[in-house]
């Protein structure tokens, strides 16, 4: 009976994590799309300074992680020092800024699909730079994802979706997304290096260090001179409080979502987290299509199916590799 009780409790915690990640990030996606496409006020002005969302997110997550460390962390000794995040902070500032700026040029579903193809630059860099040889199933995954993203990009986008974009330009939008992935790759590698050198570094320490440097860099970029875009963004939020409220909720969703990701990884491992976040991306596309009025053609839905088939196969391959490791130990 105890075993059944523990098993049921574990299932409930997993369901709680799934609900938390889905609700936080799907809501954040809706808000991100709203801020990037909505026209505010009677004069129908757009919020053009989308990179300001990253600064707002940095500040909220910085405060959130500091509070979590004060509440939950017993000791910060042995963790990576705050200054060691400076290089990862640069790429973590530039990368997401490019990803969110892409929403001026391509639709939200297109951005989600493009950013789901992280394996493509990883495998390209691994093959060309480090001479890594990948298995046939891994190439199949990459082919499905790359083919799906390419097919979606080449498919005709509805005029209704295009009309919502500030400056429709598919090549520029996809280019920004792939640059975002390249910078993310460096950020992740640097974070892994820090956790290897400082094993006692907690997820909250990483969140604090990354967002501290992100706040510093973004503040300098946006408020470092009189013509900085930060002043215009703040003025826009003062003029249209609705935009400020959307941005605050967007940031809050990101901070809450991070909590559930950390909980999922600590309780169920990174594979479970990858599965939950991957399915969340698919649901985000469906929600965007239904709720935000971004109709997708049959060919585009086929592209979405291709991408998520590749991602699902990749998750299965990771699971199988994990099972083999467990058998050998």
């Amino acid at each position: 009976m105890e075993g059944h009780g523990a098993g049921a409790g574990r299932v409930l915690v997993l369901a709680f994590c799934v609900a938390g990640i889905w609700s936080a990030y799907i809501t954040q996606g809706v808000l991100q799309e709203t801020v990037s496409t909505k026209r505010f006020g009677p004069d129908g002005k757009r919020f053009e300074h989308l990179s300001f969302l990253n600064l707002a997110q940095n500040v909220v997550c910085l405060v959130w992680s500091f509070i979590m460390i004060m509440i939950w962390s017993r000791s910060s000794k042995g963790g990576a020092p705050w200054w060691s995040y400076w290089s990862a902070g640069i790429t973590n500032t530039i990368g997401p800024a490019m990803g969110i700026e892409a929403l001026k040029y391509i639709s939200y579903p297109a951005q989600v699909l493009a950013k789901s193809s992280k394996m493509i630059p990883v495998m390209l860099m691994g093959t060309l730079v480090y001479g890594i040889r990948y298995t046939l199933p891994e190439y199949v995954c990459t082919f499905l994802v790359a083919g799906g993203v390419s097919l979606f990009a080449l498919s005709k986008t509805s005029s209704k979706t295009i009309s919502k974009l500030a400056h429709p330009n598919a090549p520029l939008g996809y280019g920004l997304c792939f640059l975002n992935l390249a910078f993310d790759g460096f950020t992740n590698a640097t974070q892994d290096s820090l956790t290897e050198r400082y094993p006692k570094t907690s997820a909250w320490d990483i969140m604090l260090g990354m967002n501290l440097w992100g706040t510093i860099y973004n503040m300098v970029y946006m408020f470092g001179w009189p013509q900085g875009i930060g002043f215009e963004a703040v003025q826009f939020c003062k003029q249209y409080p609705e935009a400020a409220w959307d941005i605050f909720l967007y940031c809050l969703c990101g901070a809450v979502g991070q909590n559930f990701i950390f909980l999922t990884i600590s309780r169920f491992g990174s594979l479970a987290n990858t599965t939950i976040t991957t399915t969340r991306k698919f649901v985000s596309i469906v929600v965007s299509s239904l709720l935000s009025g971004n109709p997708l053609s049959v060919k585009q839905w086929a592209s979405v199916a291709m991408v998520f088939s590749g991602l699902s196969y990749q998750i299965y391959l990771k699971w199988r590799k994990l099972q083999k490791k467990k058998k050998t130990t």
Side-chain angles (χ1 to χ4, degrees), residues 196-263:
E196 281 180 19
R197 278 191 290 161
Y198 305 97
K200 291 184 180 179
T201 302
S202 70
W204 298 120
D205 293 329
I206 295 173
M207 191 175 177
L208 180 74
M210 296 296 290
N211 285 290
L212 173 64
W213 283 104
T215 300
I216 293 169
Y217 293 141
N218 274 311
M219 286 291 285
V220 171
Y221 167 62
M222 294 184 191
F223 297 97
W225 51 85
Q227 287 76 37
I229 64 169
F231 297 107
E232 294 178 21
V234 170
Q235 187 58 40
F236 188 96
C237 290
K238 284 181 179 178
Q239 191 174 352
Y240 305 104
E242 189 182 351
W245 180 245
D246 286 341
I247 291 169
F248 173 72
L249 290 178
Y250 166 85
C251 298
L252 193 61
C253 286
V256 171
Q258 285 292 322
N259 272 297
F260 283 105
I261 284 177
F262 295 155
L263 178 61

Side-chain angles (χ1 to χ4, degrees), residues 271 274-275 278 310-320:
L271 184 60
T274 302
T275 306
T278 299
L311 294 175
S312 300
Y313 190 33
Q314 185 192 40
I315 290 168
Y316 167 72
L317 293 175
K318 287 181 179 178
W319 175 81
R320 199 169 65 177

Side-chain angles (χ1 to χ4, degrees), residues 71-307:
I71 295 173
W72 299 109
S73 292
R74 296 173 185 174
S75 174
S76 60
K77 290 181 179 178
W82 66 272
W83 50 263
S84 60
Y85 296 94
W86 72 269
S87 59
I90 294 174
T91 51
N92 195 51
T93 299
I94 299 171
M98 289 182 167
I100 204 163
E101 283 289 321
L103 288 172
K104 291 181 180 178
Y105 311 106
I106 56 175
S107 67
Y108 178 73
Q111 186 227 37
V112 172
L113 272 192
K115 290 178 71 176
S116 297
S117 57
K118 189 177 285 188
M119 66 178 77
I120 298 172
V122 169
M123 288 184 72
L124 279 173
M125 290 291 287
T127 303
L128 299 175
V129 179
Y130 299 106
I132 299 172
R133 291 188 176 183
Y134 296 94
T135 63
L136 180 60
E138 287 173 321
Y139 282 115
V140 170
C141 289
T142 307
F143 171 76
L144 284 169
V145 173
V149 173
S150 301
L151 185 63
F152 191 97
L154 293 171
S155 300
K156 187 178 179 181
T157 305
S158 72
S159 56
K160 187 177 180 181
T161 300
I162 292 173
S163 67
K164 290 183 175 183
L165 302 176
H167 311 288
N169 188 329
L172 179 55
Y174 283 106
L176 286 169
C177 286
F178 290 127
L179 282 172
N180 179 187
L181 292 179
F183 280 109
D184 279 354
F186 180 85
T187 302
N188 294 337
T190 307
Q191 287 178 346
D192 291 342
S193 173
L194 286 171
T195 51
E196 281 180 19
R197 278 191 290 161
Y198 305 97
K200 291 184 180 179
T201 302
S202 70
W204 298 120
D205 293 329
I206 295 173
M207 191 175 177
L208 180 74
M210 296 296 290
N211 285 290
L212 173 64
W213 283 104
T215 300
I216 293 169
Y217 293 141
N218 274 311
M219 286 291 285
V220 171
Y221 167 62
M222 294 184 191
F223 297 97
W225 51 85
Q227 287 76 37
I229 64 169
F231 297 107
E232 294 178 21
V234 170
Q235 187 58 40
F236 188 96
C237 290
K238 284 181 179 178
Q239 191 174 352
Y240 305 104
E242 189 182 351
W245 180 245
D246 286 341
I247 291 169
F248 173 72
L249 290 178
Y250 166 85
C251 298
L252 193 61
C253 286
V256 171
Q258 285 292 322
N259 272 297
F260 283 105
I261 284 177
F262 295 155
L263 178 61
T264 303
I265 293 171
S266 64
R267 293 292 187 92
F268 305 100
S270 59
L271 184 60
N273 180 64
T274 302
T275 306
I276 295 167
T277 53
T278 299
T279 51
R280 187 276 303 171
K281 289 175 182 176
F282 179 79
V283 176
S284 291
I285 291 174
V286 175
V287 169
S288 174
S289 178
L290 298 176
L291 192 64
S292 302
N294 287 323
L296 301 183
S297 65
V298 174
K299 189 183 286 187
Q300 286 177 318
W301 277 119
S303 308
V304 172
M306 272 186 74
V307 171

Side-chain angles (χ1 to χ4, degrees), residues 37-73:
T37 60
K38 188 175 179 180
R39 293 181 180 274
F40 295 92
D43 46 354
K45 281 191 176 180
R46 289 181 182 272
F47 184 74
E48 291 282 351
H49 309 296
L50 295 180
S51 56
F52 181 76
L53 268 68
N54 289 321
L55 171 59
Q57 181 80 88
N58 286 147
V59 173
V60 171
C61 286
L62 176 63
V63 174
W64 187 282
S65 57
F66 179 77
I67 293 170
M68 291 298 106
I69 288 172
M70 292 296 102
I71 295 173
W72 299 109
S73 292

